């Protein structure tokens, strides 16, 4: 993990209650779950809407460039699903990070591995 992943609240220095070390990081349990759930839901929703409405237009352009064998709506739905997954994962990351910081607050010591709530 790099510094950017663990620095949700840089003003708070948390010390491990077991060994006293200040090398503790916030666990990203809700953030990881938010990325997965948000990504899957975003892909499903975007593929459904994009495949049904604008998929034919987007897919026709992609199908002409990539392969003429794929139907335009299928290509558009796949493209929409990829974009939807990215946006859903971003939203899930943001919501999960807030849940980790404000609701869960679970930390892990890098020195001794002790998990605690701060």
């Amino acid at each position: 993990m790099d510094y950017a992943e663990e620095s949700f609240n840089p003003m708070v220095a948390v010390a491990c209650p077991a060994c006293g070390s200040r090398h503790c990081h916030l666990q990203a349990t809700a953030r990881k779950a938010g990325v997965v759930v948000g990504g899957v839901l975003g892909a499903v929703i975007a593929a459904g809407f994009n495949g049904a409405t604008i998929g034919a237009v987007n897919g026709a352009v992609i199908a002409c460039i990539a392969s003429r064998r794929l139907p335009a709506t299928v290509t558009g739905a796949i493209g929409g699903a990829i974009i939807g997954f990215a946006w859903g994962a971003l939203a899930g990351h943001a919501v999960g990070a807030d849940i980790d910081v404000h609701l869960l607050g679970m930390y892990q010591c890098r020195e001794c591995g002790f998990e605690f709530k701060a």
Side-chain angles (χ1 to χ4, degrees):
M1 273 202 217
D2 62 350
Y3 180 73
E5 287 182 358
E6 64 183 79
S7 62
F8 291 108
N9 193 354
M11 300 304 289
V12 177
V14 178
C16 175
C19 69
S21 171
R22 294 213 180 257
H23 297 286
C24 301
H25 64 92
L26 184 66
Q27 291 184 340
T29 308
R31 184 175 49 157
K32 291 174 187 174
V35 168
V36 172
V37 172
V40 170
L41 287 176
V44 169
I45 291 170
F49 286 132
N50 198 17
T53 56
I54 334 172
V57 176
N58 292 338
V61 173
I62 296 170
C64 286
I65 294 170
S67 171
R68 294 172 192 243
R69 294 181 191 171
L70 290 173
T73 47
V74 173
T75 309
I78 292 170
I82 292 170
I83 293 170
F85 182 86
W87 281 106
L90 255 141
H93 181 275
V95 171
D98 283 343
I99 291 172
D100 279 331
V101 171
H102 299 294
L103 295 178
L104 298 179
M106 292 297 296
Y107 287 84
Q108 183 177 24
C109 179
R110 290 186 177 185
E111 300 292 328
C112 67
F114 184 69
E115 295 179 0
F116 60 96
K117 186 173 175 90

